[in-house]
Amino acid sequence: YQRRVHGSPGDTQHWTMGRRPGKCYRYCKNKPYPKSRFCRGVPDAKIRIYDVGMRKKDANEYPCCVHVISGERQQISSEALEAGRITANKYLIKFAGKEAFHMRVRVHPWHVLRINKMLSCAGADRLQTGMRGAFGKPTGTAARVDLGQILLSVRTRDQFKDQTVEALRRCKDKFAGRHLVVVSRNWGFTGIERKEYETLRANGDLAPKGVHVERRHRRGRITKNNYY
């Protein structure tokens, strides 16, 4: 797999190796291989931003929540996660507005991918050693995801539910395998169902905790945290 790289008009053209196809790294065949003091020289993951949009908005602002759920046990490269994040972000900014959503990537690419580089130039058979010392060098990172794991979540207002579903449908096309886009029954990123959330909020039983809430229990010692 080779591609031609074009420099400025005065430069000569040269050849570099392209990235391996994703099918080489898609399956969870080996043990997790994280970056450590034994595994050094790991390139940075392509995805650097995991929270996009109005991430400081209160939990009450965005009641609707939509997820991308993994349909397979596999590895997803950091390049694919970044491509999906950019795709969903651009669509939501265009059709919902940049102040109408908060998107969070829920998986992180900790697993280090390796490549055993082989020479392909003339006379390479004199230089390379075949499968001797075939443990490869770090070439990238990927997230190991399980069946039914949430890959990406967006909280927004109810009026932008259809736009959010379409944005995440486009996003999941960047990942190998079959995945689902589902609308959550919970309120935003909280773990409380919407009907129950509204009841608890009306009774004053919810303590705000940023994008989440904490349920106040009417038991225990009276302290500053549970007195209301």
Side-chain angles (χ1 to χ4, degrees), residues 18-53:
R19 287 179 61 237
R20 274 186 181 174
K23 63 184 178 182
C24 299
Y25 299 110
R26 177 181 166 188
Y27 302 103
C28 295
K29 294 185 294 185
N30 304 314
K31 297 176 183 178
Y33 187 57
K35 182 179 177 181
S36 67
R37 69 179 191 270
F38 310 109
C39 172
R40 300 183 300 273
V42 179
D44 290 335
K46 287 292 184 290
I47 181 168
R48 308 296 293 176
I49 302 170
Y50 293 87
D51 275 276
V52 183

Side-chain angles (χ1 to χ4, degrees), residues 5-75:
V5 177
H6 299 277
S8 58
D11 293 344
T12 57
Q13 294 174 348
H14 59 280
W15 292 87
T16 62
M17 285 295 292
R19 287 179 61 237
R20 274 186 181 174
K23 63 184 178 182
C24 299
Y25 299 110
R26 177 181 166 188
Y27 302 103
C28 295
K29 294 185 294 185
N30 304 314
K31 297 176 183 178
Y33 187 57
K35 182 179 177 181
S36 67
R37 69 179 191 270
F38 310 109
C39 172
R40 300 183 300 273
V42 179
D44 290 335
K46 287 292 184 290
I47 181 168
R48 308 296 293 176
I49 302 170
Y50 293 87
D51 275 276
V52 183
M54 307 303 290
R55 58 190 182 183
K56 293 188 178 180
K57 286 282 189 181
D58 193 64
N60 294 322
E61 290 282 337
Y62 299 135
C64 180
C65 184
V66 186
H67 303 298
V68 177
I69 295 181
S70 172
E72 301 185 21
R73 179 178 179 269
Q74 64 174 23
Q75 295 176 169

Side-chain angles (χ1 to χ4, degrees), residues 177-211:
R178 289 177 290 184
H179 307 287
L180 297 174
V181 177
V182 298
V183 179
S184 174
R185 290 180 298 192
N186 294 342
W187 183 287
F189 287 168
T190 68
I192 306 171
E193 292 194 10
R194 295 185 63 160
K195 289 183 180 178
E196 186 181 3
Y197 185 95
E198 291 171 353
T199 304
L200 292 171
R201 185 175 60 178
N203 295 337
D205 290 341
L206 296 178
K209 297 286 180 180
V211 300

Side-chain angles (χ1 to χ4, degrees), residues 2 26 30 37 46 50 65 79 86 91 100 109 113 133-134 136 145-146 158 164 167 176-177 188 203 208 212 222:
Q2 292 185 334
R26 177 181 166 188
N30 304 314
R37 69 179 191 270
K46 287 292 184 290
Y50 293 87
C65 184
E79 289 87 355
I86 290 172
Y91 189 90
L113 306 175
V145 302
D146 224 332
D158 286 328
T164 305
N203 295 337
H212 295 276
I222 297 176

